[in-house]
């Protein structure tokens, strides 16, 4: 009886830890689908190596955090915070990034895709004056990120407007901001193709922004009010 109990408990623990493991999301398009803006080589390495590493790191950090918590080891728990921030942020950020991109010819991307999303256009014109002014400011802020980081268009429920903000490294957005569009400005996102010219990567990437996903995020965010 004791053995049965303990093995079924062990099984439950195993099942729950398997269930909580994070996994690499499947891309909704092929690695070469964003060419010529982002090469297949960049996409494959970025998704299957870099993002996978964040997923693995997050799972490992969660496991260590859980072990420390079970032992009541508060210092051990605190010791995992940097790894959780980096790998957890990396997993969250990249998952949003992939969904924000789409093939040029699939519809919904680029300038045409943006102009087709009237609610997004209305908000961007209200908050920045014009679409051109929005993209110019977004690119300038994102190009100016020192080292590695992200550029974001977010919805602030508190201010009832959008904001363009940048985050260093893999720092996730603060929980009071809702991400609408994120662009990875780590060198691994563009270096094999654009070398050191981050501004050109930023000029080109608008051609593969999937505005349908931005519009959906904006609509969901505004419903939270
Ligand atoms: Mn990246």
């Amino acid at each position: 009886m004791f053995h049965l109990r303990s093995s079924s408990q062990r099984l439950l623990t195993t099942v729950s830890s398997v269930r909580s493991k994070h996994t690499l999301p499947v891309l909704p398009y092929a690695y070469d689908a964003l060419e010529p803006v982002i090469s297949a080589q960049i996409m494959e390495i970025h998704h299957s190596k870099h993002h996978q590493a964040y997923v693995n790191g997050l799972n490992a950090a969660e496991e260590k955090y859980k072990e420390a918590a079970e032992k009541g080891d508060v210092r051990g728990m605190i010791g995992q915070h940097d790894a959780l921030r980096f790998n957890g942020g990396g997993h969250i950020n990249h998952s949003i990034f992939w969904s924000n991109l789409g093939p040029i010819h699939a519809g919904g991307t680029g300038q045409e895709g943006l102009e087709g999303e009237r609610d997004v256009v209305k908000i961007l014109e209200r908050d920045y004056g014009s679409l051109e002014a929005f993209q110019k400011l977004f690119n300038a802020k994102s190009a100016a990120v020192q080292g590695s980081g992200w550029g974001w268009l977010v919805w602030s429920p508190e201010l009832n407007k959008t904001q363009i903000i940048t985050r260093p490294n893999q720092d996730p957005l603060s929980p009071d901001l809702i991400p609408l569009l994120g662009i990875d400005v780590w060198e691994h996102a563009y270096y094999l193709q654009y070398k050191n010219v981050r501004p050109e990567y930023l000029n080109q990437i608008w051609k593969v922004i999937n505005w349908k996903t931005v519009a959906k995020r904006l609509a969901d965010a505004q419903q939270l009010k």
Side-chain angles (χ1 to χ4, degrees):
M1 189 57 191
F2 173 76
H3 280 291
L4 196 66
R5 234 180 115 89
S6 110
S7 70
S8 71
Q9 272 173 347
R10 209 163 26 232
L11 184 68
L12 273 178
T13 310
T14 310
V15 167
S16 76
S17 73
V18 164
R19 199 183 287 147
S20 71
K21 284 244 189 280
H22 302 278
T23 55
L24 185 68
V26 175
L27 285 188
Y29 39 78
Y31 284 137
D32 65 0
L34 307 183
E35 288 194 341
V37 176
I38 305 177
S39 73
Q41 187 189 25
I42 287 178
M43 287 302 293
E44 181 167 4
I45 296 170
H46 200 172
H47 178 256
S48 72
K49 306 291 184 195
H50 289 279
H51 190 169
Q52 183 68 62
Y54 299 122
V55 170
N56 296 346
L58 173 59
N59 285 328
E62 275 190 355
E63 199 54 45
K64 285 182 193 158
Y65 185 92
K66 212 160 58 180
E67 281 167 24
E70 277 162 10
K71 286 187 275 186
D73 175 7
V74 180
R75 273 210 302 167
M77 291 162 69
I78 293 169
Q80 290 307 312
H81 277 193
D82 286 353
L84 282 172
R85 169 183 284 269
F86 185 73
N87 294 291
H91 179 41
I92 295 169
N93 294 340
H94 285 86
S95 299
I96 298 170
F97 181 53
W98 307 133
S99 79
N100 280 152
L101 301 174
I104 295 173
H105 301 297
T109 56
Q111 192 65 24
E112 208 176 294
L114 172 53
E115 284 164 8
E117 298 298 343
R118 296 313 302 169
D119 291 343
V120 178
V121 170
K122 219 162 65 185
I123 288 278
L124 293 179
E125 286 179 345
R126 184 198 71 182
D127 291 349
Y128 306 96
S130 70
L131 297 180
E132 295 71 32
F134 157 70
Q135 289 188 350
K136 203 172 157 197
L137 185 61
F138 189 105
N139 281 13
K141 286 192 168 196
S142 303
V145 170
Q146 293 184 346
S148 300
W150 289 78
W152 291 99
L153 173 69
V154 302
W155 177 256
S156 166
E158 196 182 336
L159 303 175
N160 200 33
K161 65 197 261 295
T162 67
Q163 289 181 291
I164 297 168
I165 63 169
T166 60
R167 303 293 285 142
N169 305 311
Q170 294 296 357
D171 285 6
L173 292 163
S174 63
D176 59 318
L177 298 174
I178 301 170
L180 304 177
L181 168 65
I183 296 185
D184 188 344
V185 295
W186 280 58
E187 283 187 345
H188 69 222
Y190 60 86
Y191 203 90
L192 287 173
Q193 197 173 353
Y194 294 92
K195 305 297 184 289
N196 58 318
V197 194
R198 186 190 284 173
E200 185 52 19
Y201 159 70
L202 286 165
N203 284 336
Q204 293 297 321
I205 201 167
W206 297 102
K207 294 177 184 168
V208 291
I209 296 301
N210 181 349
W211 290 99
K212 286 178 189 165
T213 62
V214 180
K216 170 83 168 63
R217 287 178 166 281
L218 177 65
D220 290 349
Q222 289 180 312
Q223 272 184 354
L224 291 176
K225 277 189 292 189

